[in-house]
Amino acid sequence: MTAKMTSANRIIDGRDHDPARAVTRGDGTGDAPMILQPEIPAALTFNGTSHAVMMVSPHDLEDFMIGFALSEGIADHAGQINLRDVRKTLQGYVIEADLDEDILDRLEIRKRTLEGRSGCGLCGVQSLEAVAMDRIGKVTPSNMPQDIVLGAIDALPDQQTRNREGGGLLHASAFVDATGSIRIVREDIGRHNALDKVLGAVVRQGVDKAGGFILMTSRCSYEIVTKTVQCGVGGLVTLSGPTLTAVNLARQAGLTMICRERRGLFRRFA
């Protein structure tokens, strides 16, 4: 006779349960709350014209708008962007801003006409020329000693409040200053959205970027590098590995970049 396999954990039929609660083990006495995280479309509108629709987590949207405009190269500094309104509609959110007249032509260079999904930063870009990976800028590299980097990595989970509540679904992006203190944390279903939010918050709060770095819970793609460089931050740490393109771009820009390898070790790639 074949022995029956048992497990302390079991899969339950969640169709008969409140979707925000789950039975975790045993006979059902381990019922625990779980906050499900939404993905909401947000339309980014500049000077009355819709520019992009991105799927985002619906919080810190003012930071997201500023960070998006700066990291995409639409604006050079926050003084060129006037946030007018963030409003909720039946379909999602509309974020409205006005740009200085002398930079309006940049909108066509980065025009997006398709929905920007949480996993892809190129959705809707109309031409290969808009990617412009060969025209990355330069930054002053951050020093980032080992003890400061590892200390920030260890401290980040305690500040990922939405991620803990939502079952670990959200990416986090943090700005860590030159002393190793985590100054700002933002979370989103999309890794590049989380980065835009934290970059926008850094600018809006006037945080000194000198010697600091971005800490990301995601992998290191080319877009994470280009957005970091575009906003003048000299260091980047990710909790997953980089692509070859990301490494080459970081070296070209002078960006100090440290990423986790498969073995759990961290390597300074640039």
Side-chain angles (χ1 to χ4, degrees), residues 56-83:
V56 302
S57 300
H59 46 77
D60 303 310
L61 295 180
E62 294 89 351
D63 292 337
F64 175 61
M65 180 59 134
I66 296 296
F68 178 90
L70 294 173
S71 72
E72 292 285 325
I74 296 170
D76 298 318
H77 54 81
Q80 296 172 317
I81 313 164
N82 177 36
L83 274 173

Side-chain angles (χ1 to χ4, degrees), residues 8 144 262:
M144 297 164 60
R262 289 184 180 273

